[in-house]
């Protein structure tokens, strides 16, 4: 039974990877199509000044926006008849047309058919992926995150889930290729290099904290992953806005750098809160299991380093001269440290956290 | 260029008409290089004529001030944080004396040249090294220097009133205006500006805003809790550091190996090793006894991938407290025993052998239960038996215990253990004859035997091969020295006793850190204004907000305030919704994701550079926010 479930889980994860691959290709095609769209739009738009200069777009629109300031709407309160609303003279209808083709046009694009296919495949892949996670848990008769294989398996599912949920609120379709690419790499490494058979929990891991501490750590990792993707996009966009990078036409269809920065920051904040909790919960667990809450064990050290890096990121965002592209490097370095903590520290560093199962 | 990474360079040109909105007296006090603060002053600049290029001489106080300001700046905090992250790395690359002393010994053996250099640098004690301490101490000095003035300022801000309503609301976040007319054209009394404003004030108050009426407008502010949270967060960090640093000094940790049937008394003499805190005194040890009645282990027996993997360790103990109360408990990994102000943890276990050495005349020369230290996952264990008296010569024995002995298969007769449980227990003893060195007065480990000056008389290098015993059997020592009997094999538990009075305090501060963080990050701090003015036949209402810090939901909040307010004035809900909606967004979470309603009419759709700090367009920090 255990073996059947574990085998099913493995089949499911390979299936999920196949579906994710389709999704990845479709997302990549969508980005390629964006390049074409961006080119076309800039060619056909008479008003938009060519080149990635949002400033001029804003400037052009300014006059009309000013004019509209005194607008607003009027409500006639008619106690007998129906109330009527009229004249919503809001900011520059004409300006809207100017704005749409500029880089960082923030109006939500209508997704291409590639994008729709990609998203559908991603959702389908996630469903299969989750079935793999669940059967692995059933096979082991415990939470499926007690060794590195299981951690990769569950962690990647959570990255996709965080992406999809965040995508409900803001348009993140441009990150799809990144998320799928990252996921495929992590899943491939996880299921090829880290695979272990189902084994029972060693006594040190038999604790409710395994459920809480590790789950929250995985969640935090999911948010950091998305934040890093946004920060990378921000860096590219910044370069383009400074006209130092001319290729990558599809970037025209992405939000502007400062908006990407805002998004990255907010996503990273959620990750940071989760990470803070992980750190505290880990200390509480260490006290239970090892008799001390903090002992500078290698894994503790790296969890702490990551926490400090993100605290640095938050401060950088609040520091004059560091806000913008500079601070985003810290978000990327932070996520690199998260990957390092998982992929390298677990396997090659000696410490009490000997749960890689390898 | 609208979007510059340096906000200071793109300060709005028409700063004058902003003065009223950027009133900072009730804003949080931040370091001068915080992106949201006024530009930093140079050390010589005393606030007056900043046109003054020639700086006056600073003097000592001036320099101290200058350095203090540098130390408590954002850049320094950032730098020190990064330095802390980097300084923590070496300690993860080489073994630490505190957590892995054997690793350090091994490292020394493997890198004899590198070791002394690294040791001088203190990397084997990274986290108590002078350089690591210097980084975090500086960071915390900076932190305290940051917190204290901010706290003072915040207390004052808590008592101050919301700032005056700006003259031009239209440039702020979420701005919208609605003109209300009655069908007849004449304003009825309920729509008089004063009463409309009063109604808005009451509504804002209910929503937790602090309000102040200025003429026909109300100015409201909320979210002081954000700064409170920030201060609690940073202060609690100091709390964590202090309680960890000072509190640890009042505690102690001790280790003791207890064999089944043995009793451990909580007194200094009975510990195998003991680490007192700086301020420890004997009286802290509350005298209690713990008897290990039984130690039970469970190993995996069916899963072929995990045969012999431990599933459970349970120590059944009987405790007797000072007052004489006796009770029975279980100690497990992850489930320590709390007794006499200390916690008793189960951190290890293994086998102990009952060995009796008898002289040729039948008298017992030695009898003891000796813990053997586990060497591998199948509990191959090693231990030492020293028999100083009672035989014609001193002998020492180095023993290997195999709980499930199997031949290694190469025909050499060398044994190994194939399973951690007692399936085929065998004790193998190499015997040495000579001087045990016990009389030299040098303390010796009970787990090691110094064989210098001794001759191996049984074992690989001797004529006779090692003695092999299973429980209940007896073997002859070489040369007729006597006999050895293995009477029994028992389990031992390695117990760690910890007392740390600061632990709860650390947890409390950690909880405050977390609570403060949540508050500081997710409570929005904002100002909202509602202004009324009479127009022919009606009243014109204006609504606007201003974010103080990250506030993605500001525009929506202003919109909702407007809607509620209009509804309170008798406007049907759908009309209110229509009148206050943003152009093409309709306000659904997905559709308007990229569109920034905060920009309001002052900013065309499509322009994203409405971060005022960088934009030439919007004057304040208005409108930078999006909906989540
Ligand atoms: C132990 C070192 C420190 C850590 C771990 C730390 C961590 C943090 C975190 C997580 C935040 C974001 C949460 C919030 O807004 O409250 C923050 C904000 C802040 N910290 Fe620190 N901090 C440290 C030291 C300092 C120091 C030394 C200063 C003063 C120079 C400082 C000044 C600030 C300020 C002004 C903010 C608000 C940022 C904003 O307005 O966006 N911090 N800090």
């Amino acid at each position: 039974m255990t073996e059947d479930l574990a085998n099913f889980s493995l089949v499911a994860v390979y299936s999920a990877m196949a579906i994710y691959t389709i999704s990845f290709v479709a997302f990549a095609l969508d980005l390629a199509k964006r390049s074409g769209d961006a080119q076309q739009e800039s060619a056909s738009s008479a008003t938009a000044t060519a080149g990635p200069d949002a400033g001029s777009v804003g400037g052009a629109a300014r006059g009309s926006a000013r004019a509209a300031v005194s607008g607003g709407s009027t409500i006639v309160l008619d106690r007998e008849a129906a109330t009527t609303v009229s004249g919503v003279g809001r900011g520059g209808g004409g300006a809207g047309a100017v704005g749409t083709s500029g880089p960082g046009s923030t109006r939500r694009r209508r997704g291409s058919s590639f994008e729709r296919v990609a998203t559908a495949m991603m959702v389908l892949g996630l469903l299969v992926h989750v079935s793999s996670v669940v059967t692995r848990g059933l096979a082991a008769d415990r939470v499926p995150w007690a060794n590195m294989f299981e951690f990769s398996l569950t962690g990647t599912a959570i990255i996709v889930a965080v992406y999809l949920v965040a995508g409900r609120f803001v348009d993140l379709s441009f990150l799809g290729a990144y998320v799928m690419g990252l996921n495929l790499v992590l899943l491939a490494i996880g299921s090829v290099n880290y695979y272990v058979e189902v084994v029972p929990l060693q006594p040190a891991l038999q604790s409710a904290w395994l459920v809480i501490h590790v789950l929250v750590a995985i969640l935090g990792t999911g948010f950091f992953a998305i934040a890093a993707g946004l920060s990378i996009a921000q860096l590219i966009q910044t370069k383009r806005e400074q006209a130092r990078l001319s290729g990558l036409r599809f970037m025209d269809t992405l939000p502007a750098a400062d908006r990407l920065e805002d998004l990255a920051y907010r996503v990273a904040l959620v990750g940071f809160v989760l990470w803070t909790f992980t750190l505290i919960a880990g200390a509480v667990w260490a006290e239970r299991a090892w008799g001390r809450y903090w002992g500078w064990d290698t894994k503790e050290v790296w969890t702490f380093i990551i926490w400090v890096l993100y605290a640095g990121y938050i401060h950088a965002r609040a520091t004059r001269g560091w806000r913008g592209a500079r601070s985003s490097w810290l978000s990327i370095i932070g996520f690199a440290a998260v990957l390092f903590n998982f992929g390298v520290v677990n396997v090659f560093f000696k410490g009490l956290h000997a749960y890689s199962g390898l | 260029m609208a979007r510059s990474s340096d906000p200071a360079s793109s300060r709005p040109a028409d700063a004058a008409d902003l003065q009223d909105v950027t009133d900072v007296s009730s804003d949080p006090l931040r370091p001068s290089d915080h992106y949201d603060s006024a530009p930093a002053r140079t050390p010589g600049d005393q606030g007056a004529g900043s046109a003054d290029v020639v700086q006056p001489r600073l003097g000592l106080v001036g320099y101290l001030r200058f350095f203090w300001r540098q130390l408590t700046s954002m850049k320094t905090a950032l730098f020190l944080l990064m330095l802390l992250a980097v300084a923590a790395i070496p300690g993860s690359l080489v073994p630490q004396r505190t957590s892995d002393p054997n690793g350090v010994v091994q490292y020394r053996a493997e890198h004899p040249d590198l070791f002394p250099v690294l040791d001088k640098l203190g990397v084997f004690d990274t986290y108590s090294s002078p350089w690591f301490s210097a980084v975090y101490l500086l960071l915390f000095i900076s932190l305290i220097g940051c917190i204290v003035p901010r706290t003072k300022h915040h207390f004052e801000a808590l008592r101050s009133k919301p700032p005056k309503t700006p003259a031009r609301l239209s440039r702020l976040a979420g701005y919208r205006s609605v003109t209300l007319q009655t069908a007849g054209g004449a304003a009825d009394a309920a729509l008089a500006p004063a009463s409309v404003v009063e109604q808005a004030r009451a509504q804002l108050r209910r929503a937790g805003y602090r309000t102040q009426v200025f003429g026909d407008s109300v100015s409201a502010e909320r979210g002081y809790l954000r700064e409170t949270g920030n201060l609690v967060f940073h202060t609690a960090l100091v709390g964590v550091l202090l309680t960890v640093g000072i509190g640890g000094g009042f505690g102690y940790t001790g280790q003791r190996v207890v064999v089944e049937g043995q009793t451990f008394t909580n007194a200094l003499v009975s510990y195998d090793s003991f680490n007192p805190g700086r301020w420890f005194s004997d009286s802290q040890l509350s005298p209690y006894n713990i008897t290990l009645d039984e130690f039970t282990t469970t190993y995996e027996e069916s899963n072929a991938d995990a045969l012999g993997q431990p599933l459970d360790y349970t120590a059944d103990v009987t405790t007797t407290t000072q007052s004489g109360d006796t009770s029975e408990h279980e100690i497990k990994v992850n489930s320590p025993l709390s007794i006499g102000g200390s916690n008793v943890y189960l951190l290890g276990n293994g086998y102990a052998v009952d060995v009796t050495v008898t002289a040729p005349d039948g008298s017992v020369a030695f009898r003891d239960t000796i813990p053997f230290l586990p060497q591998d996952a199948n509990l191959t264990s090693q231990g030492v038996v020293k028999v100083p008296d009672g035989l014609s010569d001193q002998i020492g024995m180095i023993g290997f215990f195999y709980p499930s002995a199997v031949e290694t298969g190469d025909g050499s007769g060398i044994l190994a253990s194939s399973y951690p449980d007692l399936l085929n227990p065998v004790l193998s003893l190499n015997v040495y004859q000579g001087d045990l060195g016990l009389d030299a007065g040098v303390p010796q480990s009970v787990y090691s035997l110094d064989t210098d000056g001794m001759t191996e008389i049984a074992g690989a290098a001797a004529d006779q091969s090692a003695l092999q015993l299973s429980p209940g059997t007896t073997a002859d020592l070489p040369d007729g020295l006597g006999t050895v009997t293995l009477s029994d094999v028992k389990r031992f538990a390695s117990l760690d006793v910890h007392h740390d009075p600061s632990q709860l305090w650390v947890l409390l501060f950690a909880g405050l850190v977390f609570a403060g963080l949540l508050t500081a990050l997710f409570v929005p701090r904002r100002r909202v204004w509602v202004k009324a003015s009479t127009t022919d036949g009606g009243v014109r209402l204006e609504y606007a907000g201003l974010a103080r810090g990250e506030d993605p939901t500001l525009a929506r909040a202003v919109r909702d305030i407007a809607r509620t307010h209009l509804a309170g004035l008798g406007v049907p809900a759908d009309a209110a919704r229509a009148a206050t909606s943003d152009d093409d967004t309709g306000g659904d979470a997905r559709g308007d994701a990229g569109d920034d309603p905060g920009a309001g009419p002052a900013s065309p759709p499509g322009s994203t550079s409405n971060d005022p700090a960088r934009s030439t367009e919007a004057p304040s920090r208005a409108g930078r926010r999006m909906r989540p």
Side-chain angles (χ1 to χ4, degrees):
Chain A
M1 186 61 192
T2 294
E3 209 164 302
D4 290 345
L5 284 169
N7 286 338
F8 177 87
S9 167
L10 207 54
V11 172
V13 71
Y14 283 118
S15 312
M17 282 165 72
I19 303 171
Y20 282 159
T21 308
I22 300 174
S23 173
F24 174 71
V25 172
F27 271 122
L29 289 173
D30 174 52
L31 290 183
K33 182 165 183 304
R34 285 163 182 252
S35 295
D37 290 355
Q39 205 145 13
Q40 219 166 18
E41 259 187 65
S42 67
S44 65
S45 165
T47 33
T49 36
D53 187 348
S56 65
V57 175
R62 202 168 166 186
S64 55
R66 276 275 168 80
V69 160
S70 56
S73 43
T74 302
I75 300 178
V76 179
L77 277 180
D78 190 335
R79 307 269 187 236
E80 256 94 77
T83 301
T84 53
V85 182
S86 67
V88 186
R90 305 199 79 90
V98 179
T100 41
S101 65
S105 158
T106 52
R107 181 167 298 169
R108 197 181 184 91
R109 313 168 50 251
R110 277 202 45 209
S112 70
S113 48
F114 288 131
E115 187 198 317
R116 283 195 295 275
V117 169
T119 310
M121 284 295 130
M122 190 193 264
V123 172
L124 180 66
L126 180 62
L127 289 178
V128 178
H129 192 167
V130 167
S131 77
S132 167
V133 174
V134 170
T135 44
R136 176 77 186 189
L138 290 174
D141 199 18
R142 56 166 160 72
V143 289
W145 49 76
N147 54 50
M148 284 183 68
F149 165 66
E150 294 171 357
F151 198 95
S152 320
L153 184 68
T154 309
T156 43
I158 284 186
I159 292 178
V160 179
V162 169
Y163 168 80
L164 286 171
V165 170
R168 303 279 313 154
F169 296 98
V170 286
D171 183 0
L172 292 179
S173 54
F174 56 90
L175 268 194
Y178 162 81
V179 171
M180 286 290 90
L182 180 70
N183 240 40
L184 282 170
V185 171
L186 293 181
L187 268 180
I189 295 176
S191 45
V192 174
N193 295 355
Y194 299 156
Y195 187 76
V196 286
E197 301 295 339
V198 170
V199 297
L201 284 184
Q202 58 195 77
L205 290 183
Q206 294 166 14
S207 163
W209 288 109
L210 174 68
V211 181
I212 304 165
H213 166 75
V214 184
L215 180 62
V216 176
I218 299 178
L219 267 173
T221 305
F223 278 88
F224 286 152
I226 305 293
L230 288 164
S231 292
I232 293 169
Q234 177 202 341
L235 276 180
I236 300 175
Q237 201 69 306
T238 306
K239 281 251 156 67
R240 287 169 49 82
E241 281 164 18
Q242 294 165 343
R244 280 202 259 139
L245 196 65
S246 48
L248 304 177
R249 273 255 161 214
F250 69 91
M251 293 297 292
D252 279 356
T253 62
L254 264 61
D258 55 356
R259 178 158 159 73
L260 287 169
E261 178 178 350
D262 271 2
L263 280 177
Y265 181 66
R266 263 172 234 141
V267 175
L269 278 191
V270 178
F272 183 75
V273 168
L274 294 168
W275 202 258
T276 308
F277 182 86
T278 303
L279 199 65
I280 297 173
V284 174
W285 187 7
E287 190 277 328
R288 291 274 96 183
W290 300 326
R292 87 287 186 291
Y293 54 85
W294 195 263
W296 296 108
D297 181 65
T298 45
K299 193 81 190 186
E300 290 169 348
V301 171
W302 277 93
T303 303
F304 173 77
I305 290 174
I306 290 163
W307 187 78
V308 173
L309 283 173
Y310 277 99
Y313 167 63
I314 291 170
H315 281 95
R317 264 265 310 180
T319 306
R320 196 175 292 144
W322 272 79
R323 213 176 156 83
R326 276 180 151 193
S327 69
S328 67
W329 275 109
L330 284 174
S331 150
I332 296 166
I333 293 172
F335 184 57
V338 170
L339 290 179
F340 182 83
N341 190 27
F342 175 63
V344 178
V345 176
N346 275 347
V347 184
F348 299 106
F349 288 33
K350 195 174 147 194
L352 287 171
H353 284 79
Y355 57 63
S356 70
L358 298 179
Chain B
M1 190 55 218
R3 225 174 284 129
S4 145
S5 59
D6 180 9
S9 68
S10 59
R11 289 264 152 207
D14 44 359
D17 64 55
L18 292 175
Q19 232 150 21
D20 43 13
V21 262
T22 49
D23 162 37
V24 291
S25 64
S26 67
D27 273 354
L29 178 73
R30 278 125 161 193
S32 57
D33 57 345
H34 188 281
Y35 81 101
D36 212 14
S37 315
R41 286 197 257 141
T42 50
D45 175 9
Q46 299 303 322
S50 47
D52 219 358
V53 190
V54 187
Q55 297 190 352
R57 274 201 282 139
L58 282 177
L60 182 64
V61 178
Y63 271 113
L64 286 178
R65 267 229 187 104
F66 174 68
F67 283 122
W68 182 247
R69 205 180 293 148
Q70 290 303 306
L71 188 63
T72 58
S73 72
M74 293 299 285
K75 280 201 181 78
T76 308
L78 179 58
F79 173 73
L80 288 172
L81 275 168
M82 293 303 98
L83 205 57
L84 185 67
V86 172
I89 294 176
S92 72
L93 300 178
V94 300
Q96 299 297 294
R97 286 209 170 83
T98 45
S99 56
D100 184 14
N102 294 333
V104 178
V105 174
Q106 197 181 338
Y107 194 93
R108 166 185 249 151
E110 285 166 12
H111 308 272
D113 299 328
L114 197 56
F115 184 88
V117 182
L118 293 183
D119 198 28
K120 263 251 151 55
L121 293 173
V123 291
F124 299 101
D125 305 280
T126 298
Y127 306 103
S128 52
S129 68
W131 42 272
F132 188 79
S133 312
V135 174
Y136 75 74
L137 286 177
L138 267 179
L139 179 60
F140 275 83
I141 292 171
S142 163
L143 182 55
I144 292 167
C146 210
I147 297 171
V148 172
R150 280 175 74 183
T151 309
K152 199 164 140 273
H153 181 91
H154 186 53
F155 271 115
E156 283 157 15
L158 281 176
R159 289 192 300 270
S160 72
K161 288 180 182 150
K164 225 178 93 229
T165 311
R168 290 218 256 152
L169 287 182
S170 55
R171 325 205 53 195
L172 301 177
Y175 174 77
R176 53 208 81 214
S177 82
V178 176
T179 308
L180 283 184
Q181 289 178 334
T182 45
D188 59 40
L191 292 188
S195 73
V196 169
V197 163
E198 179 48 37
Q199 205 156 337
R201 194 186 69 93
Q203 177 195 335
L204 286 164
R205 250 222 183 130
R206 276 196 304 277
Y209 283 80
R210 185 178 306 182
T211 59
Q212 178 77 19
V213 171
F214 294 99
D216 282 341
S217 70
V218 58
S219 170
E221 180 154 23
R222 58 150 290 160
Y224 293 84
L225 207 54
R226 186 185 184 91
E227 175 73 351
T228 309
N230 185 300
L231 291 170
V232 167
F233 169 84
H234 284 94
T235 312
L237 283 179
V238 180
V240 169
L241 185 78
L242 287 182
T243 41
V244 170
I246 300 173
F250 292 99
Y252 62 82
T253 66
Q255 289 76 35
R256 166 67 197 254
V257 164
V258 187
V259 181
E260 282 173 313
Q262 284 184 350
T263 296
F264 153 74
T265 302
N266 188 26
L268 266 186
V269 288
S270 49
Y271 281 102
D272 295 331
S273 67
F274 192 81
N275 317 311
R278 207 165 307 155
W279 296 289
F280 168 82
S281 77
D282 278 16
S283 60
Q284 277 179 283
L285 294 179
S286 88
Y288 55 75
N289 289 336
I290 298 178
T291 305
L292 180 62
D293 302 321
E294 192 182 4
F295 188 83
T296 326
T297 57
T298 320
Y299 297 105
E300 176 64 49
E301 290 173 354
S302 56
N303 184 338
D305 297 309
L307 279 186
Q309 188 199 307
L311 299 181
D312 182 57
Y313 299 128
T314 304
D316 289 299
V317 298
T318 303
T319 59
T320 313
T321 57
Q322 194 169 13
S323 54
D325 298 336
T326 302
S327 54
E328 293 185 352
H329 301 274
E330 243 181 37
I331 309 179
K332 283 171 173 279
V333 185
N334 272 312
S335 167
L337 166 70
S338 176
I339 182 172
S342 63
N343 279 338
V344 183
Y345 302 85
L346 175 61
L347 291 194
N349 67 84
Y351 289 104
V353 294
D354 254 347
V355 176
T356 308
V357 177
T358 314
D361 64 2
S363 63
V364 173
F366 174 89
R367 165 157 220 167
D368 204 353
T369 307
I370 301 158
F372 272 38
L373 297 183
Q375 309 291 310
D376 63 23
N378 284 325
L379 295 188
T380 300
S381 311
Q382 195 188 349
V384 164
V385 182
K386 294 174 187 171
V387 187
D389 312 302
L391 300 180
S392 57
D393 202 352
Q394 290 193 336
I395 65 165
M397 295 183 274
I398 297 179
F400 290 91
F401 177 73
Y402 309 94
S404 296
V406 288
E407 302 247 343
T408 44
D410 54 7
S412 64
I414 293 175
L415 297 178
S417 178
S418 63
Y419 193 75
D421 216 345
L422 294 174
L423 300 185
N424 177 31
V426 169
L427 173 65
S428 157
L429 293 168
N430 293 353
V431 187
Y432 296 82
Q433 182 178 23
D435 182 10
L436 284 170
L438 293 178
D439 307 326
V442 184
Q444 278 194 5
S445 163
V446 290
Y447 296 109
S448 67
L449 178 69
D450 182 2
T451 54
D452 294 350
M454 300 190 86
T455 335
E456 185 167 353
I457 53 173
D463 296 340
Q464 189 179 337
S465 58
L467 311 184
Q468 291 197 346
L469 295 152
S470 51
T473 59
T474 299
D476 288 327
L477 287 166
D479 310 333
L481 280 167
T483 59
V484 191
T485 308
L486 172 64
S487 13
D488 200 1
V489 176
K490 292 175 177 156
R491 297 222 173 226
F492 73 79
S494 164
L495 298 181
D496 266 43
V497 181
H498 293 197
H499 168 70
D500 185 352
S502 66
Q503 202 154 283
L504 267 181
W505 289 100
V506 177
L507 185 63
L508 176 82
F509 281 116
L512 283 175
V513 163
F514 192 65
L517 184 67
L518 285 178
T519 321
L521 295 181
F522 299 119
V523 170
R525 169 150 192 177
R526 56 174 69 130
R527 292 182 189 151
V528 172
W529 292 277
V530 180
K531 197 170 179 180
S533 47
T534 341
T535 58
D536 11 313
V539 61
R540 180 161 178 260
L541 298 167
E542 291 173 90
Y543 305 88
L546 178 69
R548 312 310 279 155
E550 298 282 331
D551 188 359
T553 55
L554 175 64
R556 189 194 293 168
V558 174
R559 188 191 66 193
D560 292 346
I561 287 167
R563 286 184 183 167
T564 312
H565 186 226
L566 289 172
L569 295 173
V571 176
D574 52 344
R577 204 172 312 125
T580 54
S581 70
D582 304 295
D583 282 339
D584 45 6
T585 61
D588 73 288
R590 190 172 169 89
D592 64 354
D595 193 71
D596 192 340
S603 173
S607 157
T608 45
S609 53
N610 40 28
D611 180 339
R614 313 162 190 189
S615 153
T616 54
E617 179 62 41
S620 62
R621 305 191 55 205
R624 67 207 305 266
R625 321 298 170 193
M626 58 127 217
R627 293 170 197 192

